[in-house]
Amino acid sequence: MDPTDDPTHGQQEFTFFNRHYDSYCYLPMVCFLTFNEEAEQYLVAAVLRPGNATGSVGALGILRRLIDRVSDAFPKARIRVRLDGGFASPKVLDFLDCEPKVEYLVNMAANAVLKRKVESAMKRARRASEISGQTEHVYGECRYATRKTWPWKRRIIYKAEVVCAANKEPKDNPRFVVTNLKQSPQWIYEKTYCQRGDVENRIKELHDGMQIGRTSCSNFLANTFRVLLTAAAYVLMQEMRLHLSPTRHARAQVATLREHFLKLGAQVIVTVRRIVLHLPQAFPYRDSFHRLALSLGAQTG
């Protein structure tokens, strides 16, 4: 997740300078849970971290807790963990390897050794790209171990890609994923790992739709509480979206849900027994709002 912008970095606790993002910031981490082929991705964790935290700080504790909770709720389920490159630390990988019911796919940054291993595939991708004039890629796999931090060789699947864009020179773009899955490299990358990219849209919803970056308190714990409140509000918006599944708003982003169903002009009449909302007659999303209200327990009449 991109770090939250911090306009008062000199006054806040733990908003350290982060060289990667070239600014003073916090470094929040969020986790999402999906079930089989369901479209919805459920926010299950949101942790605010100091701006100088490394990518995997806090990940091990969250993984332990989530895997235990999911295993207790679904004893027969297989659990698949997808992580970005910042989480490819030895401790995280060792933990995942020791969990018998866990399948994992973790993006891994390129290094000199991996680039050497993928060079023959890159040559084939370059030749194919020169012939077609299009972006081309070649999938493959290798075994890889570091000198000190990995106790054994792990399976690395790779995508040797040459990217072609208009008015630009072709660019090498090798990608690496460490995994314990047994399927073919192409299937793992395209059908399984690439699904992680959709989570970026949920993170954008948190940033742009819920303003999770509003951490202007001078105290770290206060800002943590603000992040948790934002996460709780997002969960409520997700619940609203689930109840709108039969409508055209089934996959609407939270900013759209706020505009269409929360920012309404209404007459509120409060009596001893009930609260009555009189919505405008020309409300364009009236049918969807009516369905949503009924599904959440509202009564008509």
Side-chain angles (χ1 to χ4, degrees), residues 231-250:
Y234 182 80
V235 170
L236 292 177
M237 299 297 288
Q238 282 192 305
E239 188 67 18
M240 180 188 297
R241 183 161 54 201
L242 289 172
H243 284 275
L244 287 166
S245 57
T247 73
R248 57 175 170 164
H249 291 86

Side-chain angles (χ1 to χ4, degrees), residues 10-37:
Q11 303 174 8
Q12 292 185 290
E13 295 181 304
F14 304 111
T15 53
F16 296 108
F17 184 81
N18 187 290
R19 186 173 63 178
H20 177 76
Y21 295 106
D22 194 29
S23 67
Y24 286 85
C25 60
Y26 290 120
L27 200 65
M29 177 169 57
V30 294
C31 304
F32 291 85
L33 181 66
T34 61
F35 295 91
N36 293 336
E37 303 301 323

Side-chain angles (χ1 to χ4, degrees), residues 22-194:
D22 194 29
S23 67
Y24 286 85
C25 60
Y26 290 120
L27 200 65
M29 177 169 57
V30 294
C31 304
F32 291 85
L33 181 66
T34 61
F35 295 91
N36 293 336
E37 303 301 323
E38 286 188 20
E40 193 67 41
Q41 296 151 336
Y42 300 92
L43 178 64
V44 292
V47 178
L48 189 65
R49 302 178 299 170
N52 62 348
T54 57
S56 61
V57 166
L60 202 56
I62 292 175
L63 283 172
R64 282 198 182 102
R65 181 172 175 80
L66 284 179
I67 290 172
D68 287 345
R69 296 289 295 273
V70 173
S71 297
D72 290 343
F74 307 97
K76 297 182 180 181
R78 296 288 298 178
I79 300 172
R80 182 172 294 167
V81 177
R82 285 192 292 258
L83 298 173
D84 204 352
F87 300 97
S89 70
K91 289 184 178 180
V92 171
L93 293 174
D94 288 346
F95 167 75
L96 294 174
D97 276 325
C98 292
E99 291 291 321
K101 296 175 64 175
V102 171
E103 302 171 346
Y104 66 83
L105 304 97
V106 184
N107 185 47
M108 189 169 181
N111 58 39
V113 175
L114 290 175
K115 287 180 178 179
R116 286 199 302 269
K117 289 179 177 291
V118 80
E119 181 56 30
S120 61
M122 285 302 309
K123 290 180 179 178
R124 298 200 303 273
R126 293 187 196 109
R127 287 195 297 268
S129 181
E130 289 174 1
I131 295 172
S132 68
Q134 304 292 325
T135 296
E136 298 288 349
H137 43 256
V138 175
Y139 291 98
E141 65 178 281
C142 62
R143 307 294 293 182
Y144 173 77
T146 62
R147 290 185 177 181
K148 298 180 179 179
T149 56
W150 287 16
W152 56 75
K153 290 185 177 181
R154 292 186 168 96
R155 186 190 188 197
I156 304 288
I157 62 131
Y158 59 78
K159 180 178 72 169
E161 183 178 54
V162 176
V163 179
C164 291
N167 302 320
K168 292 183 179 180
E169 291 293 323
K171 180 181 179 181
D172 290 354
N173 184 40
R175 295 300 181 96
F176 303 91
V177 175
V178 55
T179 182
N180 62 350
L181 290 176
K182 307 301 182 183
Q183 291 87 348
S184 70
Q186 183 172 357
W187 185 90
I188 291 173
Y189 197 93
E190 292 183 352
K191 302 298 183 182
T192 307
Y193 180 73
C194 284

Side-chain angles (χ1 to χ4, degrees), residues 1-8 12 15 26 28 48 205-231 258 263:
M1 180 177 181
D2 292 340
T4 53
D5 294 333
D6 180 18
T8 58
Q12 292 185 290
T15 53
Y26 290 120
L48 189 65
E205 283 189 293
L206 283 167
H207 247 295
D208 302 332
M210 304 300 297
Q211 304 300 318
I212 199 172
R214 289 183 177 175
T215 50
S216 56
C217 295
S218 59
N219 182 275
F220 181 75
L221 290 179
N223 285 319
T224 297
F225 185 60
R226 294 183 70 158
V227 168
L228 291 176
L229 286 178
T230 303
R258 290 176 64 187
K263 293 184 177 181

Side-chain angles (χ1 to χ4, degrees), residues 280-296:
Q281 291 277 339
F283 177 37
Y285 312 106
R286 181 177 174 180
D287 291 342
S288 294
F289 187 93
H290 186 255
R291 182 189 291 269
L292 173 63
L294 291 178
S295 67
L296 292 174

